[in-house]
Amino acid sequence: MTDTPSHVEEPGPSDLRSPLAQHEMKRAGVWFAIAVAIALVVVLAQPLLLILGALVLATMMDGGTRLLGRILPIGRGWRLAIVLIGAVLFLAYTVYLTGSSLAAQAQAMRTIVETQVARIGGWMQQLGVTTTPNDLKGLAQQALGSIGRVTKAVGTAVGAITAGVMMLVLAIFIAIEPKLYERGVAWMMPMDRRAHFYRIADKMGGTLRRLMFGRLIGMTVEGVGTWLLLWAGGVPMAGLLGILTGLLAFLPNIGSIISGALIVLVGFSAGTNTGLYAVGVYLAVQIVDGYLIVPMVARRAVDLAPALVLAAQILMGALFGIMGLFLADPLIAMMKVYLEERSRALDAEHRSKKTGVLRS
């Protein structure tokens, strides 16, 4: 006669059929997936930035193609070709017209900035500040020398050119038929999530187009306005300062500070009156762009808090160099759109469940 257990056996923690084991396995899987995702982001940070940069460029190309479609009833491919050819011709003309003179002015500006920084250091030392002129001069040299650095991975000139070409080619492929890649991403999602993805993708695309359009308008206004006003006032290197101001206008907050410092230093190198005039030009251009152009074009469409943008630029710039600075603003804009749309979807789902409960 065999003894039978007086209680019913239940699966233990080592048995995968145990609800406790399944719950713990799910939790461990989530944490493991998060760790793997973080590791992949760290390892693939530079390629991800290049892809994000290509998406931003593709958005700019798509915006120009859509805008051209309002006046030219031709195929999308032809309109995109016109946009690309126009951009290439403009850049080639600018380089051909001002290339040699700008190269000489850039070298002269470097000398002027270093000299002015040394003078400021000597004036501060007379006031009792312990910082020496050599310290400030070395800081200025480091700042000027870091302008050409893109990222740690593409720090050389060859690497920067290669990364730029890859980013441009990828952007062109995406801009030719963006819906194709959008459907490809949606295909990897469950059927019930695809409509939500399409809605978020359309909202992100519209937000980026408005953001980039506003940025290009601001760059044009600041660059051309600075060049004409400085040239009219006899400030040296007006053309180079105008181009630098226009390019740095792509970086809100930080770009205006850098361009303003360059304008003031070069202006005061020609005399006190010229320096004061340069300060007035900088303030006038920033007021026009900040209080007229940006609110009408970009800020109302994107509504990004300046402190949030500045914090993102500091973080992205410290992690990824100048590439991170360029992409901080578009990245924050896309994250904002996603969070807003996600919040609306959750609110709608919550209201739907609440209505169903009340009806039942």
Side-chain angles (χ1 to χ4, degrees):
M1 184 175 179
T2 59
D3 294 334
T4 58
S6 59
H7 63 279
V8 179
E9 291 291 337
E10 296 181 356
S14 61
D15 196 326
L16 294 180
R17 293 175 298 174
S18 170
L20 177 61
Q22 292 179 1
H23 177 68
E24 293 299 327
M25 288 289 292
K26 290 180 180 178
R27 293 180 59 183
V30 170
W31 284 109
F32 180 75
I34 292 175
V36 171
I38 293 175
L40 287 176
V41 169
V42 172
V43 174
L44 302 176
Q46 304 302 334
L48 290 176
L49 281 179
L50 293 179
I51 294 174
L52 182 59
L55 290 175
V56 173
L57 288 178
T59 302
M60 298 172 67
M61 297 175 189
D62 182 61
T65 303
R66 290 169 180 259
L67 187 63
L68 196 60
R70 298 182 179 182
I71 56 177
L72 288 179
I74 57 178
R76 176 182 173 84
W78 291 107
R79 287 184 276 123
L80 179 61
I82 292 174
V83 171
L84 294 176
I85 292 173
V88 171
L89 290 178
F90 173 76
L91 293 176
Y93 176 76
T94 303
V95 172
Y96 173 76
L97 187 65
T98 61
S100 59
S101 60
L102 289 182
Q105 289 184 12
Q107 182 61 35
M109 178 181 289
R110 184 187 183 97
T111 304
I112 290 175
V113 170
E114 292 178 358
T115 303
Q116 292 294 92
V117 169
R119 291 177 58 186
I120 294 174
W123 174 71
M124 292 175 62
Q125 198 172 23
Q126 291 179 358
L127 296 178
V129 181
T130 57
T131 302
T132 64
N134 290 330
D135 294 335
L136 292 177
K137 184 178 179 180
L139 181 62
Q141 289 175 344
Q142 293 178 5
L144 290 172
S146 64
I147 291 177
R149 185 180 61 189
V150 179
T151 58
K152 294 179 180 179
V154 289
T156 63
V158 175
I161 294 174
T162 303
V165 171
M166 292 175 60
M167 190 165 57
L168 180 60
V169 171
L170 181 59
I172 293 174
F173 279 121
I174 296 175
I176 290 174
E177 196 172 356
K179 293 297 182 182
L180 175 64
Y181 301 96
E182 185 178 319
R183 291 193 300 268
V185 176
W187 175 79
M188 296 183 290
M189 298 182 175
M191 291 291 293
D192 57 344
R193 296 290 182 181
R194 294 183 184 181
H196 181 61
F197 168 75
Y198 285 131
R199 185 167 59 252
I200 291 180
D202 291 340
K203 187 71 178 294
M204 282 185 176
T207 300
L208 278 181
R209 284 193 297 271
R210 290 190 292 269
L211 178 65
M212 293 299 104
F213 179 72
R215 197 61 50 78
L216 289 176
I217 295 296
M219 292 171 65
T220 303
V221 171
E222 289 195 32
V224 175
T226 301
W227 167 53
L228 292 178
L229 291 175
L230 292 179
W231 175 74
V235 179
M237 307 172 192
L240 179 60
L241 288 173
I243 292 176
L244 291 177
T245 301
L247 294 177
L248 290 172
F250 193 86
L251 304 174
N253 304 319
I254 294 178
S256 60
I257 295 174
I258 298 175
S259 62
L262 293 175
I263 291 173
V264 171
L265 289 176
V266 174
F268 276 101
S269 68
T272 303
N273 293 332
T274 305
L276 294 176
Y277 177 80
V279 173
V281 168
Y282 169 73
L283 294 177
V285 171
Q286 293 301 319
I287 289 174
V288 170
D289 181 64
Y291 290 94
L292 294 179
I293 304 301
V294 173
M296 287 190 302
V297 180
R299 190 174 297 169
R300 291 181 182 177
V302 184
D303 192 23
L304 292 176
L308 178 63
V309 175
L310 182 59
Q313 288 177 338
I314 294 174
L315 179 61
M316 294 288 289
L319 292 175
F320 308 113
I322 194 68
M323 180 72 79
L325 285 176
F326 274 101
L327 298 178
D329 204 13
L331 182 61
I332 291 298
M334 288 191 290
M335 292 176 60
K336 181 176 182 291
V337 170
Y338 172 78
L339 293 176
E340 288 178 346
E341 292 298 318
R342 182 63 178 170
S343 178
R344 291 193 184 99
L346 292 176
D347 289 342
E349 184 178 353
H350 178 71
R351 287 195 298 267
S352 177
K353 291 182 179 180
K354 187 176 181 181
T355 304
V357 171
L358 292 177
R359 288 179 178 177
S360 61

